Amino acid sequence: MQNGSKPKGIAREALRYELTGVPTSTWYDLQNAGLAPKPIRLGGPRSVGWLIEELEAWRDQRRAERDAAGGAWRPLKGLGAP
């Protein structure tokens, strides 16, 4: 949280997908490879969510990497990429 701003909240799976565009199974592969934000537990054993700030930062970093590469698509290292 910066400059005293309110936290944006927690995203459940549907909002996580909307913010990132990454399908569930691919997202968990990215998490397991350490390439995406990990979820936080919300109570029950299967109840998880993601901090919206972390999801937005992850998405913005992907955009910055794309722009730095001149718009070229490159697979994420560590997820089956050379």
Side-chain angles (χ1 to χ4, degrees):
M1 212 168 30
Q2 295 178 350
N3 301 329
S5 62
K6 281 180 77 172
K8 293 184 179 183
I10 296 173
R12 299 298 295 261
E13 177 58 28
L15 182 54
R16 192 239 13 108
Y17 177 75
E18 185 178 324
L19 290 170
T20 66
V22 179
T24 302
S25 61
T26 302
W27 186 257
Y28 282 103
D29 289 343
L30 289 169
Q31 283 180 174
N32 291 334
L35 301 172
K38 299 230 183 225
I40 57 172
R41 298 242 176 250
L42 299 176
R46 295 177 58 180
S47 181
V48 298
W50 293 263
L51 295 176
I52 292 173
E53 291 96 347
E54 291 181 1
L55 295 174
E56 290 174 339
W58 182 87
R59 179 193 61 205
D60 294 345
Q61 181 62 37
R62 303 291 76 72
R63 182 180 297 135
E65 289 172 2
R66 177 204 61 197
D67 293 348
W73 178 86
R74 294 179 187 196
L76 290 171
K77 289 183 181 177
L79 192 65

